[in-house]
Amino acid sequence: MVMRIGPLRHRLTIEEYEVISDDIGVESRQWKTLKTVWGSMEVLTGKEYISPLGTKEEISVKITVRY
C-alpha cells in the first residue's frame, strides 16, 4: 500500500504521561514528548452533553501517521 504524503499536513506530538520523583521523594506528574511527526486527522464523531459538573464534549478522531 502506498501512502500519499499530501494529506499528512498536521504536525502531531506524541507524548507519554510519566511520574517523576525528586530527591526527597515527592512525586510529580507531567507529559514527556516522545516524538513529533507529520500526520492527518479526521473527525469521526462529536457530541456535547450536560453533566452534573457542567457541559462536556467528546470527539472521536482518526489519526494517521507514517510508520
Side-chain angles (χ1 to χ4, degrees):
M1 180 174 144
V2 177
M3 180 180 288
R4 293 182 13 216
I5 197 155
L8 306 179
R9 64 180 186 271
H10 300 285
R11 199 72 173 143
L12 306 173
T13 303
I14 301 170
E15 298 178 326
E16 175 183 43
Y17 196 61
E18 66 179 357
V19 179
I20 299 173
S21 296
D22 62 8
D23 296 336
I24 58 173
V26 176
E27 291 184 350
S28 64
R29 293 169 174 78
Q30 64 184 15
W31 288 100
K32 173 184 170 186
T33 299
L34 296 178
K35 190 84 172 172
T36 302
V37 297
W38 290 100
S40 67
M41 296 175 57
E42 176 186 352
V43 176
L44 301 175
T45 62
K47 66 180 179 178
E48 182 177 7
Y49 57 94
I50 297 178
S51 74
L53 300 176
T55 304
K56 302 286 184 178
E57 299 86 20
E58 287 183 11
I59 299 174
S60 295
V61 181
K62 177 182 174 183
I63 297 173
T64 305
V65 296
R66 291 178 73 174
Y67 178 71

